[in-house]
Amino acid sequence: MSGQAPILTVTLNPALDLSTAADSVVPDLKLRCDKPVVDPGGGGINVSRAIKIIGGQSTAMVALGGATGQRMADMLKAAGLKVLRLTAPGETRQSLAVTDRATGGQYRFVMPGPEWHMTQLASTIAAIAEAALAGGWVVVSGSNPPGIAPGFEQMLTVRLKDGRARLLVDTSGDALRALAGSSIPVDVLRMDSHEAEGLAGRPLPLRSDSAEFAAGLVRNGAAKSVIVARGADGSVIAGPDGAWHAAAAPVRVVSAVGAGDSFVAGFVLAAARDWPMQEALALGAAAASAAVMTPATELCNAADVRHFYSQRIMTRL
């Protein structure tokens, strides 16, 4: 593998993910569950885990607090990840996924995480800027914690503006809306087609619709490149090198959980290796296709990523 620029992933609202199963999920009764599977979760953490699987390196900056935070720190260390620890303003949250064996349905309970204050945000932005290495990438992925107002990513962009590092943001909700309306461009902004349609206020049925919408955000100064993930129809990017589509591999979907984080891992690793934009999109699409073949808490498999990348289908739009 060729050399790669440094990658820093940022997870401000991680969660200890517990997953289990019960014969059926019904109200009022005590539900006897299987022994839970425990995983460290959160967008940036998953991106770092997937980068390691694909054969790259990154540093995971994670805000952790309390006994749950300590447990997560130990798990990340055991997983061989390089971790930079921030102090969260309270106990790290947990999330619970329960599969109902009778129906096969999965119930996902996601807790909010500790409340942040603007004073903590300033010191966090300073810490990220300090940890970001020149010529490298910073990945902000996953939901922002309670108390972090939309605009955090723009403030970070300004701090990284002196050419220290490039910023990839994969977010949703209010944070995404703030970014879409901003004129302080992040380097790469990623969203899924559901989020893109919400921002566009209309359906985007065709690849060309997604590409046109993404190109509009680039023109308006929201980002230098915009990626729209179209699920089974692959991903579209619009940026300085025009618009491209990368096909998704035709695989049987076991679980879509972790596909987005695996995509970001493949894309940012290729970008850190200085690959062209369309090849970075292809490696991201290969990692996402590999991720949907594995059960919920597993990410992608390296051999699958290599295979799908070797079979990549790129189309200029």
Side-chain angles (χ1 to χ4, degrees):
M1 290 288 183
S2 59
Q4 66 149 89
I7 301 169
L8 177 74
T9 66
V10 177
T11 313
L12 297 185
N13 203 19
L16 190 70
D17 291 334
L18 307 174
S19 30
T20 183
D23 287 335
S24 63
V25 177
V26 293
D28 303 331
L29 299 180
K30 284 183 180 174
L31 307 177
R32 302 292 172 190
C33 298
D34 293 350
K35 184 173 189 251
V37 175
V38 185
D39 287 285
I45 289 171
N46 290 339
V47 173
S48 276
R49 282 170 61 203
I51 286 171
K52 187 173 194 295
I53 291 167
I54 306 169
Q57 291 166 330
S58 70
T59 299
M61 181 179 265
V62 189
L64 297 169
T68 308
Q70 186 52 52
R71 188 177 174 191
M72 272 187 81
D74 295 342
M75 291 172 81
L76 294 171
K77 197 176 166 193
L81 292 185
K82 190 175 164 197
V83 177
L84 272 181
R85 192 168 166 174
L86 295 173
T87 304
E91 181 90 19
T92 295
R93 65 188 176 141
Q94 298 190 6
S95 69
L96 175 65
V98 183
T99 300
D100 179 333
R101 269 192 289 263
T103 64
Q106 190 186 59
Y107 295 81
R108 298 170 72 188
F109 302 92
V110 180
M111 308 303 158
E115 181 94 23
W116 286 56
H117 300 286
M118 285 311 277
T119 49
Q120 283 150 328
L121 183 58
S123 59
T124 299
I125 288 174
I128 296 168
E130 198 177 317
L133 296 171
W137 281 85
V138 175
V139 177
V140 174
S141 175
S143 61
N144 285 334
I148 296 261
F152 154 64
E153 290 85 359
Q154 289 93 316
M155 288 185 250
L156 183 55
T157 306
V158 172
R159 277 303 287 269
L160 298 173
K161 261 262 169 33
D162 57 1
R164 283 188 72 77
R166 287 160 289 181
L167 180 63
L168 184 156
V169 179
D170 181 10
T171 189
S172 56
D174 291 342
L176 177 60
R177 281 189 287 278
L179 281 162
S182 166
S183 55
I184 303 169
V186 299
D187 291 278
V188 179
L189 178 60
R190 180 190 176 273
M191 65 195 80
D192 63 30
S193 46
H194 174 73
E195 290 158 350
E197 289 178 342
L199 286 175
R202 63 179 189 279
L204 302 168
L206 307 174
R207 292 168 188 176
S208 54
D209 297 324
S210 295
E212 217 170 276
F213 168 72
L217 286 179
V218 172
R219 273 196 308 276
N220 294 343
K224 292 172 188 171
S225 298
V226 173
I227 298 168
V228 178
R230 294 179 51 85
D233 189 38
S235 284
V236 164
I237 191 168
D241 302 330
W244 290 84
H245 172 263
V251 298
R252 191 174 77 83
V253 175
V254 175
S255 165
V257 177
D261 295 327
S262 294
F263 174 93
V264 170
F267 181 91
V268 79
L269 180 57
R273 288 177 175 156
D274 229 7
W275 293 11
M277 180 174 84
Q278 64 272 26
E279 295 300 327
L281 189 74
L283 189 62
S289 295
V292 300
M293 294 168 64
T294 62
T297 55
E298 289 180 41
L299 295 162
C300 48
N301 172 296
D304 292 333
V305 177
R306 283 194 294 273
H307 172 68
F308 294 143
Y309 178 72
S310 73
Q311 308 284 309
R312 63 195 178 280
I313 301 170
M314 307 299 302
T315 315
R316 189 157 204 151
L317 298 174

